């Protein structure tokens, strides 16, 4: 029995014989297989398929899963519960997966979002057996029209032996045309990528997979369940305010064009606060070149500020998706959804002159950034696309609150316990306390600036004391006292607070 | 009085009236000015100019110096002695400069070689007043033909208000034609860089500076003084052997093409040993895309192995330069000298699919690399181009001995005291003990592999003990005991050995 929705959306009628149940589709998966997934948190994720797979997997099979972006509980939660991961590659946000990774119940590979599909393609991790793609439609020629995310879906769809398509009728068919699918060649055959501006379109509006490899088509039966919009807070607003002031000054000094350079930021309270500040600002014609965006992106389009918004995925709230769907033709004039190998591409990040804005768990007085591991050991978030953005940006900005846990943790520390982004990849640090412009500063100058401008007043004396004692007792270009470098963290582990 | 050499080499006869003494040229420099230097260690560096400048500078002026590569004692040594640096940007190798940086007598900015010229150009460090370029000739049109290095010379020559050219008659005029000068636009006007293969030529064989800005021309009067060829050693040979074996296996498995992918390595004993192994191997038609190369590069050309050698500079030995000069027309068929903004360019590193091979001071059990600071504090080497190579390579390989100081130091440690290259940028680690292929491994798997394959037997039990205790007492995705993470380093500081 093929539903009316599928009859309508599968336009290649000869593929209608591939329509099957989620259970049948899931039975194509065998023990030890590698699955590549086109992701998105709730919307854009083939969660009906994974719900069926997790049910069948328990005790029967384990798979390797490759994903660019975080996936919802229907994937990571259920698969972890079913003990169905042999190995898990890529970004995540699910708490069950995070706990399993910290208990090392299976190996979690915290890979770089923009690099993973290239690495998969060069064969270092073996082949991809099945790609799982959520789609809005299949075209007359049998090509796949994705929904609100591309990320690594096109890479896996092209690589995999079989492709399983989950059609999601909750996504309006008018989403078609928002995508720009272009997959760079791999070395030694790679050519210059012909994209110059965030709004350029250089590919196709569908994933051009050979229809013969579409092994199954199923229909989504689970409701999309995006999160509510993140509430704003005072710290985020202050951070956004410092940042806008900095950009205004850079323009005044002639170091940034009047419409800035293309901006990258993620989702959450700080990006939303920044988008709100930007919407009120005098900047216009702003371009965005980012891996994902939230409701703030729609706000900027509505405020007439956005010239083009290039992204690999939409992580909107429930309300944000409703806004998008209500007015899709208008939003489509601004938004381009691309594969992550373009969205997070070092070549393009450098070419467009990206202003990268990323968060961190903690930064140290010399500007090294920890964005993944608490107390050096416990992973709380994957690295995602931040390496490819920060390491190749025109300007790399780190945004975070000066404290966490109601002040018990200083997010500015003598030495971070895990380095994801070294000093060589950080230009500016912003907290609610202020902004530290580290460009052109030597390590001790950076330390004084970060402590003075970014640290919370409760921790300034402690940080200054560490710095001056390190300078006087050890010296060197970047003075540290190794026996005291983690004193803040050890105090917290012992007393529950970094305060003495 | 214009020498016969200058009469011959300055082909734009209207510029002969700019010929002057080193002292006159040096007097153009004023207190607080920014100087950009086209570098090279001894050869390719305007050392006659700097010798004169250092003499005049003492007590009279301080300058900001920008350089891509390390410069010889005639620059860094004499300028440090004259207390003539207000601020110093870029790579270095001089011991006097290193000591001054560690005593923080002036701010040393350890910038990324490939990125610095772009950053200078965007204005964040102010303007460049004078560019100092060593040249083999000035063409009829007044353009500058450099010697054996380009690095950031073209960027500064184009940016600076004035250009001072030091003609070095010790370099044969036949060097002309070896260079390929192309400077990418800056954002928001940057276009795809039209280079696809290491041997491609996309620019001009000279630096196209407006001749009106050539403020002075002087003649080199100091002898070029390149170092002797680095002696080989057993550890380097073992490292090279492990690496060759790895590449052979990758080709057998179909994960690398039969002629490999373009290779990047630096200068020193390990690169020379690797070049020697490669020269004996069955690999042919090998391409090199690197920031610099030493005598090993010539060996590979002579052995008929090199298809093309793209570099920003030649750091040959005395003997190597003699070889090069004797047979320049033949070597020029293989060698292309490029600006560092191309040689170390993330876009091109990713496009050619670079196999990056770089050294480190120490690596930790999880694969983080320290390449600059001893005991977390004391800088021993600048970061150079390693970020741009390692962070964007197809395959990033770290080469180092398992121990230093006759075994008193383990170069594999629980946690490195300074991170220049995080785990996200490292694929393979090689010591004389063996090779650790980290691709596809989670942190604890990486730790076990590094300890088993790369650590020195004297330190294996200590490292394993740390790892297992961290797993059992702390747990987490990447288990660490913060109070013991630097126990090796603290023991060394106390007793002179990392051994208990």
């Amino acid at each position: 029995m093929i539903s009316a929705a599928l009859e309508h959306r599968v336009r290649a009628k000869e593929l209608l014989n591939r329509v099957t149940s989620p259970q049948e589709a899931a039975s194509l998966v065998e023990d030890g297989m590698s699955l590549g997934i086109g992701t998105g948190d709730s919307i854009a994720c083939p969660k009906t398929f994974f719900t069926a797979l997790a049910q069948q997997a328990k005790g029967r099979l384990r798979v390797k899963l490759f994903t660019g972006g975080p996936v919802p509980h229907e994937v990571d939660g259920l698969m972890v519960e079913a003990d169905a991961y042999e190995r898990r590659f890529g970004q995540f946000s699910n708490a069950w997966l995070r706990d399993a990774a910290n208990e090392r119940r299976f190996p979690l590979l915290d890979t770089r979002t923009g690099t993973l599909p290239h690495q998969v393609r060069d064969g270092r991790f073996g082949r991809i057996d099945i790609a799982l793609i959520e789609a809005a439609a299949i075209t007359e020629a049998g090509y796949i029209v994705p929904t609100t995310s591309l990320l690594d879906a096109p890479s896996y769809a092209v690589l995999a032996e079989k492709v399983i398509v989950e059609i999601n009728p909750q996504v309006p068919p008018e989403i078609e045309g928002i995508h720009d699918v272009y997959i760079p060649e791999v070395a030694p055959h790679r050519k210059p990528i012909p994209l110059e501006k965030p709004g350029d379109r250089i590919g196709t509006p569908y994933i051009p997979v050979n229809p013969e490899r579409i092994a199954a088509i199923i229909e989504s039966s689970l409701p999309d369940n995006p999160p509510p919009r993140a509430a704003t807070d005072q710290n985020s607003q202050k951070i956004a305010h410092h940042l806008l002031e900095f950009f205004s000054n850079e323009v005044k000094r002639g170091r940034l064009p009047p419409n800035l350079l293309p901006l990258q930021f993620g989702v959450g309270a700080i990006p939303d606060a920044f988008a709100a500040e930007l919407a009120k600002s005098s900047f216009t014609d702003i371009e965005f070149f980012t891996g994902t965006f939230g409701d703030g992106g729609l706000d900027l389009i509505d405020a007439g500020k956005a010239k083009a918004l290039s992204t690999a995925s939409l992580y909107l709230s429930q309300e944000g998706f409703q806004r998008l769907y209500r007015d899709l033709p208008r939003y489509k004039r601004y938004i381009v959804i691309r594969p992550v190998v373009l969205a997070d591409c070092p070549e393009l990040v450098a070419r467009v002159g990206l202003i990268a804005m990323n968060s961190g768990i903690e930064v140290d007085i010399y500007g090294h950034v920890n964005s993944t591991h608490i107390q050096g050991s416990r992973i709380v978030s994957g690295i995602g696309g931040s390496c490819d953005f920060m390491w190749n940006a025109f300007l790399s900005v780190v945004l975070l609150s000066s404290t966490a846990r109601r002040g018990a943790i200083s997010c500015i520390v003598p030495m971070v316990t895990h380095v994801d982004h070294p000093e060589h990849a950080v230009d500016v640090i912003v907290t609610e306390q202020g902004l530290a412009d580290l460009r052109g500063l030597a390590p001790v100058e950076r330390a004084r600036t970060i402590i003075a401008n970014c640290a919370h007043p409760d921790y300034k004396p402690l940080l200054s004391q560490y710095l001056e004692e390190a300078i006087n007792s050890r010296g060197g270009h970047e003075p540290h006292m190794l026996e005291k470098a983690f004193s803040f963290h050890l105090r917290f582990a012992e007393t529950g607070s970094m305060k003495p």
Side-chain angles (χ1 to χ4, degrees), chain A:
Chain A
M1 220 3 239
I2 294 168
S3 73
L6 254 54
E7 279 276 12
H8 181 66
R9 296 205 180 211
V10 180
R11 307 203 300 260
K13 295 307 164 196
E14 71 277 15
L15 291 179
L16 282 171
N17 64 7
R18 319 275 165 91
V19 174
T20 183
S21 69
Q23 289 71 25
E24 280 294 320
S27 72
L28 294 172
V29 177
E30 295 168 23
D31 187 40
M33 275 187 168
S34 290
L35 310 185
I37 180 174
T39 49
D41 208 354
S42 190
I43 294 187
C45 182
K47 47 192 182 303
T48 300
F49 172 84
F50 274 93
T51 304
L53 177 62
Q55 270 168 5
Q56 292 181 20
K58 209 161 194 165
R60 188 176 74 86
L61 61 81
R62 289 207 181 93
V63 297
K64 293 186 272 294
L65 187 83
F66 295 82
T67 168
V71 289
H73 190 75
E74 289 89 344
V75 182
D76 277 337
L78 300 185
M79 290 292 279
V80 164
E81 193 188 27
D83 191 19
Y85 282 146
E86 179 189 313
R87 205 164 271 269
R88 167 74 166 70
F89 292 76
Q91 181 62 297
F92 66 92
S93 63
N94 182 260
W96 292 25
L97 182 78
R98 190 191 60 216
D99 290 346
N102 282 312
E103 290 161 16
R104 298 178 313 286
R105 281 161 39 202
F106 49 82
L108 175 80
L109 282 291
D110 181 22
T111 48
R112 287 155 59 182
T113 308
T115 309
L116 179 62
H118 292 304
Q119 295 185 331
V120 168
R121 196 164 164 195
D122 77 35
R124 65 180 72 186
F125 306 132
R127 65 178 189 184
I128 295 286
D129 298 291
I130 304 180
L132 297 314
I133 315 290
E134 189 188 276
I138 294 178
T139 70
E140 289 74 5
Y143 298 149
I144 300 169
V145 178
T147 57
T148 57
S149 162
L150 268 176
L151 284 161
D152 29 13
S155 298
Y156 301 141
V158 166
L159 273 177
E161 201 171 308
K162 292 178 181 167
V163 179
I164 296 176
V165 181
E166 177 169 328
I167 303 274
N168 185 350
Q170 298 166 82
V171 178
E174 293 76 26
I175 199 76
E176 191 167 346
I178 206 169
H179 309 94
D180 184 44
V181 179
Y182 174 101
I183 305 175
E185 287 300 311
V186 287
H189 307 295
R190 200 183 287 183
K191 306 276 176 208
I193 300 170
L195 185 147
E196 292 178 19
K197 300 284 171 195
D200 288 355
R201 287 181 175 273
I202 62 173
T204 56
Y206 47 75
I207 302 175
V209 48
N210 177 349
E212 284 174 22
R213 290 193 292 107
I214 298 182
I217 299 171
I218 65 167
E219 182 171 354
S220 291
S221 61
L222 291 172
D224 290 331
N225 187 26
R229 185 163 186 167
T232 188
D233 61 86
Q234 242 187 359
N235 272 6
S236 301
Q237 285 168 348
K238 283 183 189 167
I239 290 169
H241 180 76
H242 295 313
L243 198 51
L244 252 289
E245 196 175 69
F246 170 75
F247 287 145
S248 300
N249 281 329
E250 287 293 296
V251 173
K252 269 185 214 145
R253 292 182 192 178
R255 303 200 295 203
L256 277 180
N259 66 334
L260 304 175
L261 284 167
L263 303 179
Q264 174 264 325
F265 50 78
V267 286
I270 298 177
D272 265 11
F274 176 67
E277 276 287 318
L278 211 50
K280 286 187 295 181
S281 75
S282 61
F283 293 111
T284 55
D285 278 330
I286 309 167
E287 293 171 302
F288 299 85
F289 191 80
T290 183
T292 186
F293 70 83
D295 291 19
L298 302 185
D299 295 344
L300 284 160
I301 293 174
D302 291 348
K305 296 297 186 185
K307 184 174 175 186
L309 246 153
S310 168
T311 186
S313 59
L314 305 178
Y315 276 71
L316 305 177
S317 69
Q318 186 89 48
E319 173 209 327
F321 275 113
Q322 283 164 3
R323 263 167 89 188
L324 176 77
Y325 292 166
R326 264 200 310 271
D327 215 357
L328 206 36
R330 181 169 64 86
Y331 285 118
K332 268 165 69 181
R333 290 204 300 270
Y334 300 94
I335 300 172
V336 187
I337 302 182
R338 302 185 190 284
V340 76
V341 286
L342 290 197
D344 294 18
C345 174
E347 171 174 345
L348 302 183
V349 166
R351 183 175 304 146
V352 304
L354 199 70
I355 299 177
M357 293 173 278
N358 290 276
S359 62
I361 296 171
E362 57 180 7
V363 302
D364 68 29
I365 54 174
Y366 295 116
H368 303 266
V369 179
N370 175 8
S371 18
T372 56
H373 287 75
I374 280 183
Q375 291 269 334
S377 304
R378 223 185 130 70
I379 196 165
V380 290
S381 168
I383 191 68
S386 57
C387 297
D388 297 292
F389 292 128
M390 291 176 65
W391 298 359
N392 295 296
F394 174 90
L395 198 70
S396 169
V397 183
V398 179
L399 311 170
L400 78 175
S401 285
S402 71
T403 59
R405 295 235 190 146
R406 295 186 186 170
I409 290 175
S410 174
C411 300
I412 318 286
V413 293
M415 183 186 265
V416 291
T417 57
H418 184 96
V419 176
D420 294 289
H421 306 295
E423 52 187 353
H424 314 293
V426 179
D427 294 312
V428 173
I429 294 173
V430 195
T431 70
E432 82 289 352
Q433 300 294 321
L435 180 146
D437 181 357
L438 308 178
R439 296 174 299 172
L441 300 185
V444 167
E445 296 174 317
R446 290 202 300 263
R448 296 218 162 101
T449 307
I450 292 171
I451 295 171
N453 297 5
C454 297
H456 191 277
D458 287 355
Y459 290 101
K460 273 185 196 185
L462 285 171
L463 290 164
S464 290
Q465 191 188 326
Y466 176 86
L467 174 65
E468 299 307 326
E469 198 184 331
I471 291 172
N472 295 325
S473 71
R474 289 328 128 79
H477 181 243
E478 193 159 315
H480 264 305
M481 300 178 288
L482 296 182
E483 76 283 11
K484 294 187 184 173
F486 298 138
S487 53
F488 282 42
H489 302 87
L490 291 168
R491 192 157 50 231
F492 177 80
E494 206 177 312
T495 69
S497 171
M498 287 188 176
K499 289 179 194 160

